[in-house]
Every structure is written in structure tokens, then in C-alpha cells.
Amino acid sequence: MAANPQIALSGLARALIQKNRLSEADAVACTAGDGATNAFLHEVTQRKLLSARDIAQFASETFGYPLLDIAAVNQDFIPKKVIDANLERKHQVLALSQRTNPNRLTLAIADPSNMRALDEIRFQTGMQLELVVAEVDELAKCVERIHASAKETLEKLSMEDDFGALDVGHDEAEDVDASDIDDAPVVKFIQKILIDAIKDGASDIHFEPYEKFYRIRVRTDGVLHEVAQPPLALKEKISARIKVISRLDISEKRVPQDGRTKLVLSKSKSIDFRVSTLPTLHGEKIVMRILDSSSAMLGVDALGYEPDQKQMLLEAVSRPYGMILVTGPTGSGKTVSLYTCLNILNKDGVNISTAEDPAEINLPGVNQVNVSEKAGLTFASALRSFLRQDPDVIMVGEIRDLETAEISIKAAQTGHLVLSTLHTNDAPTTLERLKNMGVAPFNIASSVIMITAQRLARRLCSCKKPVDIPIESLLQAGFRGDELDGDWQPYGPVGCDRCKGSGYKGRLGIYQVMPISEELAHIIMTGGNSMDIAAQARAEGISDLRHSGLLKVRQGLTSLAEVLAATNE
């Protein structure tokens, strides 16, 4: 049978005919009009005229190139972007390794006689090619696994229609491809990550690039969980998109940057994000802090204060002047406590000013100022300006130095209510910390009216179960003998769909609320240390953090392990 003159058989097809491995009629029937080799080989295997393994062995023996099991190749070590992705998919070839001296590229191909493909790749790469033969079906799968990831993987990961609208900036750098910013799958994927994090009650989202993978983790109830591993090739597009919506310089990748963005969920609901970028070895790590202003509107009852602690806090907040300090490590809920107090005070007849770094929650009716060290707007300079603005209440994000501390104390002594934070372990050590900063003991005693130390512990999910804990362990944890009367039952985590198997859902506050009594003020002025202050606080019935946490265990709200971890001084 004569071959159709309009159909050009490939070199491999002609060789198969010459070696009587394939009839000319079958070869013609399997060849497309444009003579595409890949289509021919796939058609041969689909018609079961020859197996992919048989074709690969024949091509290896006939053309003298090594046969490679492409399925056994570790894809993590396959070089990316050596050959244009569209070219690799078009010809179903794969770059396996490259050498610069000499300038050679090892290429996996199903048909080494495909001169059109080889010429295009040589032209695009400018490299000499060393060929290996691979089975056509396995090679096609491998190429798709590597290159289908960019859009198709994200489209699968972002199967979500109910997206909010991101507040997008327009400071796009000229040297960044617009496709890196407005790529639809990337946009949808990022919005899905943000929406899911909000639904799960997360506090932070981490976008982390590494050498061989890219992962996204969210912090829920104080614990980080991995939620996605998008393709590594998309790390630049994801980074560019987040930086654009946060109004950051996307051309600057060498120094850290800070920005903000907003996700509008509805006409009445929006969520702010504080964005921080950090250059790492393998790209920019981005952390987005979720700032939900509704958390400040929950009210003091939702914070977890015991009735006596709540009463002491409300009495202190209602004072016309003095200083209230909230202490604890990063992530212990200090900001929410301060904003809750501000929300109580936020009335028409009260002038409130805050200096923060940065302002995390937007409170209508409160004059909020972001400090900027570069611009010369420090906590101290902001405080001086506040005192000329006829304030009633002043909130300082953090007392970091003696100058800020002295101005805050001066404000508290001259008829203003001052709220601020310090990074100390508990309430007694806060007073010693102020002394170590250089504040005179008399000024501390005459201005500070209350100190609240706090921690956050995970709240047990409704799937909790009773647990048996030896009395010795309970005593060692800090329970008193009279508290182990058998009238209460400790609980532990189980895990269900609601809590995603962790056994915990949400968090609760553990507090040490210490008003400054006359006896405590006397100890401060006479040079007493934190141990003296703690002893006097115990004598006045002030529970320390550990005992406040153990009370939550007795109430069945959290586990003993959580309290021990949160209050491990």
C-alpha cells in the first residue's frame, strides 16, 4: 500500500515499518495530518499495536540513546524554567539536568528522531542536547505533573465562589509582569486562603518559601497548621499579589516591608490584615496578621475574667486618672484587652487618643496614631502631642523606654487615664521592670492603679472527656489540698470534626488582676522587690496566673496540660 503523499511519517515511524514492527497502513492511520510525533505514538499505544515500553526500547536500540525509566526520576531535582513550559508541553519533552561546562542539557524524549522539537529546543536554550529515551505515556504524565501545577492546581485548590473583595493598591512596579499580579487563579487562591483562615478563627497566615516546596500555614488557637502546598513555581506570583494588595514595593525583595490590606466581606463587615515581608534564602516569607475589629466589641464578659477580677478591672477603668498596665508575652491577647477597655470608655463625652505601632483595630470615635520611628513620630513625641490635645484617656501601645514611661506617668499624675502594655511575666515583676527602666519608685506608686498579667490557653471542645489525674500530679501542679474535695472533674481533649481533631476550639484568657493597694504602694516606695510584692498580693487574695488557670481546669473549660504550658514561668 502506498503512503498518502500528504502525510509525512516521522523517522521513528519509518524505522518501525522497515523493521516490520508496524505496517505502513497502520503507521499512516496513526499519523495526524501535521505529522506530530507525540500524537502518532499515543495513537499506536491506544490502538494496542505496540506498547509504550516496546516503542521506547526500539527507539533506544535503533537510534543509540540510553533508555530511562522516567517514573523513577525524583522531580524535586528536575531543573525548572530551563526550557519554556509551553515548549515542553508541546513536544512532551523534559529537561533532566544541565551542565555549564560544557554547555549541555540532558533531555528526555520519546522520539529522538523528532528533529523539529530538537531544533526548537536548541534554539531556545542555546545548549547542546544529550538525549535519553523515555516511554511516551510516562513522559507525558511527568510533564503534566510538573507544568499543570501553575493554574490547574490552584483552580482545584480554590474551588470557592463566595469571595470577598480585596482592597487593591495601584503602586505596581514597571519591571513586574502584570500577569504576576492579576493571574486569576492566583487571585482566587489567595482570597480563598484568607476567607478560610477567617472562617477558622485564625490569627495569622504564613506564606513560606523553601528550596524544594512552598507551604502556607495558619495559626489557629495559638498553634500553626499547614493548610496548603501550592506549586513552588508560583511563589513569585503569590508574593507579588500579596504585596500589591498591601501597597508594598513589589520590586524590592532585599529588605523587610510592612503594609496593610482589607478584605471586604459585606457592606457592614470587613477584615483588616497587617502584612509583613521578610527576605529569606529561598524567597520572601510573608505573614499576614488578621485584625478583626469585632473582637474588641465582644465586651469584658467574653474575655474570661472571673467575677471578682472583672469587678476590679471595671473599677479601675472608671477612675478619672491613673495608669493601668497590661502585661504578657506576644500573642497573649493584650491588644484585645486594651481595646475592650477603650470600647467601654468610648463615649461622646470622652476624648481618647492612642499611639500604636501600628494601630491594629479600627475603633470609630478614638483618635488613633501610628508611630513611625523613621518619620520621627515616636511614642514619646506622640504622647507630648496628646497632652496638648485635651485628652481624657490615653493609650500607649507599649512602654519601651524611660522617656515614654516618664511622660505616661506624668500624664497619669495630671488627671488622665493612661492604658499601656509591658512585656513582663506577671504583675509583680512589672513594677520592678519600671524601676529598672529608671522610673522613681514614688512616681510608680502614685500613678499605677492596676496591673493585669494575662495568658491565653486553648479552650476544650465540646467533645471533651473526663480524665483521671493522680492527686500527686494535681498537688504538684499547684492545687491546694482543700481544692481536691472530689466535687469537680478534670477534662481532657478528644477530637472531632468541629475542632478538626485537635480537641480544642477557641481560646480563653487566664488573668492576674492586681490593684495597687496602699500596702503594695508602701512596698514599692520602700524599695521592695517583686518577691515582696507577690507575697503581699497573695496576702490580699490576688490569684497568680497559675491559680487562675487551675480555676479554669476546675470549671472544665480547659485541660491541665494547657494551663501548665501557658503558665510555665
Side-chain angles (χ1 to χ4, degrees), residues 448-494:
V448 180
I449 59 175
M450 171 174 283
I451 302 173
T452 298
Q454 65 183 72
R455 299 289 189 275
L456 289 177
R458 290 185 294 173
R459 184 188 296 269
L460 283 169
C461 179
S462 56
C463 64
K464 63 185 178 181
K465 66 175 182 180
V467 293
D468 292 325
I469 302 176
I471 292 180
E472 294 78 10
S473 298
L474 294 174
L475 291 171
Q476 188 176 5
F479 281 104
R480 297 188 302 269
D482 61 339
E483 294 175 326
L484 305 178
D485 51 12
D487 288 342
W488 58 276
Q489 170 68 54
Y491 287 86
V494 177

Side-chain angles (χ1 to χ4, degrees), residues 547-558:
H547 279 92
S548 293
L550 295 179
L551 181 57
K552 306 293 185 186
V553 176
R554 293 185 62 185
Q555 294 168 349
L557 298 176
T558 188

Side-chain angles (χ1 to χ4, degrees), residues 366-561:
V366 175
N367 306 293
Q368 296 173 274
V369 175
N370 279 334
V371 301
S372 173
E373 299 286 344
K374 291 181 180 179
L377 180 57
T378 62
F379 281 117
S381 61
L383 277 170
R384 291 193 187 94
S385 298
F386 289 168
L387 293 176
R388 295 190 290 269
Q389 293 271 321
D390 185 30
D392 297 303
V393 179
I394 295 173
M395 195 269 272
V396 185
E398 181 183 350
I399 296 178
R400 298 175 179 173
D401 51 54
L402 177 59
E403 184 181 18
T404 305
E406 287 184 333
I407 299 173
S408 300
I409 285 174
K410 177 183 176 183
Q413 292 172 334
T414 54
H416 307 94
L417 184 63
V418 179
L419 288 76
S420 189
T421 69
L422 271 176
H423 286 280
T424 56
N425 289 331
D426 57 15
T429 55
T430 302
L431 298 169
E432 195 160 0
R433 167 75 174 135
L434 288 173
K435 286 199 297 183
N436 291 338
M437 290 174 66
V439 181
F442 172 81
N443 285 332
I444 298 173
S446 62
S447 59
V448 180
I449 59 175
M450 171 174 283
I451 302 173
T452 298
Q454 65 183 72
R455 299 289 189 275
L456 289 177
R458 290 185 294 173
R459 184 188 296 269
L460 283 169
C461 179
S462 56
C463 64
K464 63 185 178 181
K465 66 175 182 180
V467 293
D468 292 325
I469 302 176
I471 292 180
E472 294 78 10
S473 298
L474 294 174
L475 291 171
Q476 188 176 5
F479 281 104
R480 297 188 302 269
D482 61 339
E483 294 175 326
L484 305 178
D485 51 12
D487 288 342
W488 58 276
Q489 170 68 54
Y491 287 86
V494 177
C496 64
D497 292 339
R498 182 172 178 267
C499 61
K500 297 185 177 179
S502 69
Y504 297 93
K505 185 67 175 177
R507 289 193 287 179
L508 53 84
I510 298 173
Y511 302 94
Q512 179 186 23
V513 180
M514 188 177 78
I516 304 302
S517 62
E518 291 184 5
E519 292 76 10
L520 287 172
H522 179 73
I523 293 174
I524 296 167
M525 286 190 290
T526 55
N529 57 31
S530 59
M531 296 179 65
D532 299 327
I533 296 170
Q536 177 60 33
R538 285 194 298 271
E540 295 179 6
I542 303 299
S543 297
D544 60 17
L545 284 167
R546 173 61 61 84
H547 279 92
S548 293
L550 295 179
L551 181 57
K552 306 293 185 186
V553 176
R554 293 185 62 185
Q555 294 168 349
L557 298 176
T558 188
S559 66
L560 181 61

Side-chain angles (χ1 to χ4, degrees), residues 120-134:
E120 287 186 23
I121 292 168
R122 287 192 189 98
F123 179 78
Q124 189 250 311
T125 62
M127 305 176 76
Q128 299 181 39
L129 302 180
E130 294 181 347
L131 304 182
V132 295
V133 178

Side-chain angles (χ1 to χ4, degrees), residues 181-488:
I181 300 166
D182 299 322
D183 188 292
V186 172
V187 172
K188 288 183 66 179
F189 174 68
I190 292 174
Q191 293 191 184
K192 174 174 170 51
I193 290 293
L194 302 187
I195 292 287
D196 288 349
I198 293 169
K199 288 179 178 178
D200 291 341
S203 60
D204 301 88
I205 310 171
H206 294 240
F207 298 82
E208 302 172 315
Y210 296 94
E211 183 178 7
K212 295 176 183 176
F213 66 97
Y214 187 88
R215 73 177 177 184
I216 299 174
R217 295 189 293 173
V218 300
R219 187 179 296 279
T220 307
D221 297 336
V223 180
L224 279 171
H225 303 278
E226 182 176 309
V227 294
Q229 274 204 25
L232 183 61
L234 288 172
K235 67 178 182 181
E236 297 296 338
K237 288 190 175 186
I238 292 174
S239 174
R241 177 64 186 172
I242 295 174
K243 290 169 77 174
V244 164
I245 63 178
S246 307
R247 293 177 172 81
L248 300 178
D249 183 356
I250 55 180
S251 65
E252 179 57 77
K253 303 178 182 179
R254 299 165 298 175
V255 297
Q257 298 185 67
D258 295 301
R260 293 178 73 97
T261 189
K262 178 181 289 186
L263 182 65
V264 180
L265 301 175
S266 66
K267 292 182 179 179
S268 60
K269 176 72 171 178
S270 64
I271 302 293
D272 289 318
F273 295 85
R274 190 178 72 196
V275 182
S276 172
T277 72
L278 179 69
T280 67
L281 285 177
H282 305 292
E284 287 182 288
K285 174 178 178 177
I286 299 177
V287 176
M288 302 181 73
R289 167 67 60 87
I290 301 173
L291 308 173
D292 187 357
S293 58
S294 63
S295 61
M297 309 299 177
L298 295 176
V300 69
D301 292 321
L303 296 182
Y305 286 96
E306 297 302 323
D308 58 330
Q309 294 176 335
K310 171 188 169 184
Q311 184 61 34
M312 288 187 287
L313 178 66
L314 293 177
E315 288 177 0
V317 169
S318 64
R319 297 270 291 272
Y321 60 88
M323 179 182 287
I324 299 173
L325 294 174
V326 180
T327 74
T330 301
S332 60
K334 299 188 300 296
T335 301
V336 172
S337 293
L338 282 178
Y339 276 100
T340 301
C341 292
L342 289 179
N343 198 46
I344 295 172
L345 295 166
N346 189 12
K347 300 174 183 177
D348 289 341
V350 180
N351 179 21
I352 304 175
S353 296
T354 73
E356 303 166 74
D357 185 22
E360 295 191 0
I361 299 174
N362 180 30
L363 276 183
V366 175
N367 306 293
Q368 296 173 274
V369 175
N370 279 334
V371 301
S372 173
E373 299 286 344
K374 291 181 180 179
L377 180 57
T378 62
F379 281 117
S381 61
L383 277 170
R384 291 193 187 94
S385 298
F386 289 168
L387 293 176
R388 295 190 290 269
Q389 293 271 321
D390 185 30
D392 297 303
V393 179
I394 295 173
M395 195 269 272
V396 185
E398 181 183 350
I399 296 178
R400 298 175 179 173
D401 51 54
L402 177 59
E403 184 181 18
T404 305
E406 287 184 333
I407 299 173
S408 300
I409 285 174
K410 177 183 176 183
Q413 292 172 334
T414 54
H416 307 94
L417 184 63
V418 179
L419 288 76
S420 189
T421 69
L422 271 176
H423 286 280
T424 56
N425 289 331
D426 57 15
T429 55
T430 302
L431 298 169
E432 195 160 0
R433 167 75 174 135
L434 288 173
K435 286 199 297 183
N436 291 338
M437 290 174 66
V439 181
F442 172 81
N443 285 332
I444 298 173
S446 62
S447 59
V448 180
I449 59 175
M450 171 174 283
I451 302 173
T452 298
Q454 65 183 72
R455 299 289 189 275
L456 289 177
R458 290 185 294 173
R459 184 188 296 269
L460 283 169
C461 179
S462 56
C463 64
K464 63 185 178 181
K465 66 175 182 180
V467 293
D468 292 325
I469 302 176
I471 292 180
E472 294 78 10
S473 298
L474 294 174
L475 291 171
Q476 188 176 5
F479 281 104
R480 297 188 302 269
D482 61 339
E483 294 175 326
L484 305 178
D485 51 12
D487 288 342
W488 58 276

